[in-house]
């Protein structure tokens, strides 16, 4: 079984709809992250969480919110989706500390029409 | 702000050596990472440098010069399966900033 899972894997939604992307991990890591990737670009950090009570904005948090329901679960919500949020979304985890190795989920391809 | 520069595309032949450079501008630098991403796949971790010097892991090596704000990934004995995109990423104040990626094409 995969260590970091994301649901759904693909989603098409309409402008203005609320949508939630979910991430679960079995690695026992405290740190979790949400990124988006646009074609030809690198990953940009949306939100990150170092434990259940510690949630921080990343580089591009506007239009997004998150919830850390448990150590193993970190959800990303788009309250009112817009077309320029069409992207590939990745969840990642890492251990506490400066080792910096992040483990990525398989990604969710989101299309907002 | 943060910025990272890496070449957009590199082509090399099977069995050759290729170097992918990364220059960065950032405050609060902790370390430089490299990730590999195949088309349609998730990024996978390759290496991390926090101190100056060379880190070697099998066919892949990574180098960092903090004074020059520069690093590179060296891939030796290239194989077709190495065709992928490679991203450098800077860790700064617990956040990670990724470059736009270098697409490596390995030809037979």
């Amino acid at each position: 079984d995969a260590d970091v899972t994301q649901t759904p894997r693909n989603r098409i939604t309409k402008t203005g709809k609320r949508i939630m992307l979910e991430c679960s991990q079995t690695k026992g890591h405290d740190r979790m992250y949400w990124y988006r990737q646009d074609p030809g670009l690198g990953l940009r950090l949306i939100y990150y969480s170092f434990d259940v009570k510690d949630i921080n904005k990343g580089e591009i948090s506007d239009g997004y919110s998150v919830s850390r329901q448990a150590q193993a679960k970190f959800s990303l919500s788009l309250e009112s989706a817009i077309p320029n949020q069409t992207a590939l979304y990745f969840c990642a985890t890492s251990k506490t500390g400066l080792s910096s190795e992040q483990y990525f989920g398989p990604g969710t391809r989101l299309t907002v029409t | 702000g943060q910025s990272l520069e890496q070449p957009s595309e590199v082509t090399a032949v099977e069995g050759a050596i290729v170097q992918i450079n990364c220059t960065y501008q950032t405050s609060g630098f902790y370390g430089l990472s490299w990730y590999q991403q195949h088309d349609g796949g998730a990024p996978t971790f390759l290496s991390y440098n926090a101190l100056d010097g060379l880190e070697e892991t099998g066919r892949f090596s990574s180098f960092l010069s903090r004074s020059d704000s520069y690093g590179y990934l060296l891939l030796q004995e290239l194989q077709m399966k190495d065709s992928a995109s490679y991203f450098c990423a800077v860790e700064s104040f617990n956040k990670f900033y990724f470059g736009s990626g270098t697409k490596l094409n390995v030809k037979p």
Side-chain angles (χ1 to χ4, degrees):
Chain A
D1 288 341
D3 295 318
V4 184
T5 57
Q6 294 183 232
T7 55
R9 294 293 312 278
N10 289 281
R11 180 73 182 266
I12 300 174
T13 193
K14 293 186 184 298
T15 297
K17 293 291 189 182
R18 183 179 187 275
I19 182 167
M20 179 182 289
L21 310 183
E22 298 186 340
C23 176
S24 295
Q25 54 114 348
T26 58
K27 299 192 74 67
H29 290 167
D30 288 326
R31 298 184 173 190
M32 298 187 74
Y33 310 81
W34 275 105
Y35 291 91
R36 69 176 277 175
Q37 185 175 32
D38 296 281
L41 298 179
L43 292 91
R44 290 184 291 169
L45 183 63
I46 305 172
Y47 271 94
Y48 62 103
S49 169
F50 284 176
D51 67 36
V52 174
K53 296 182 179 178
D54 180 27
I55 293 177
N56 304 279
K57 292 183 177 181
E59 199 180 353
I60 52 163
S61 58
D62 287 348
Y64 302 94
S65 62
V66 291
S67 172
R68 184 84 184 265
Q69 299 95 324
Q71 187 206 36
K73 296 185 183 297
F74 193 34
S75 300
L76 176 72
S77 293
L78 288 68
E79 296 300 326
S80 179
I82 56 176
N84 77 358
Q85 291 177 313
T86 293
L88 186 56
Y89 290 84
F90 287 103
C91 173
T93 74
S94 71
K95 296 179 188 177
T96 298
L98 293 178
S99 73
S100 187
E101 179 172 357
Q102 293 183 74
Y103 298 82
F104 285 82
T108 294
R109 188 167 297 279
L110 177 66
T111 303
V112 183
T113 62
Chain B
Q2 323 287 337
S3 71
L4 294 93
E5 295 284 338
Q6 51 180 129
S8 59
E9 192 163 353
V10 172
T11 299
V13 296
E14 208 171 4
I17 298 172
V18 71
Q19 178 174 313
I20 299 173
N21 298 321
C22 175
T23 57
Y24 59 87
Q25 287 186 310
T26 185
S27 56
F29 176 84
Y30 290 172
L32 185 71
S33 304
W34 289 92
Y35 286 81
Q36 179 191 62
Q37 185 181 31
H38 286 98
D39 283 347
T44 55
F45 175 82
L46 294 176
S47 68
Y48 176 72
N49 294 68
L51 303 175
D52 286 359
L54 191 68
E55 296 279 345
E56 298 181 67
T57 309
R59 294 188 296 115
F60 295 178
S61 303
S62 58
F63 172 82
L64 175 66
S65 169
R66 295 173 69 112
S67 60
D68 294 324
S69 297
Y70 164 75
Y72 66 72
L73 179 69
L74 190 73
L75 297 84
Q76 302 183 75
E77 302 173 15
L78 280 176
Q79 301 176 8
M80 297 299 293
K81 69 178 181 180
D82 297 330
S83 291
S85 292
Y86 293 84
F87 296 89
C88 58
V90 162
E91 182 177 8
S92 172
F93 296 121
N94 293 320
K95 296 181 183 179
F96 295 89
Y97 300 89
F98 282 75
S100 297
T102 298
K103 186 172 177 60
L104 172 62
N105 302 301
V106 181
K107 296 187 177 299

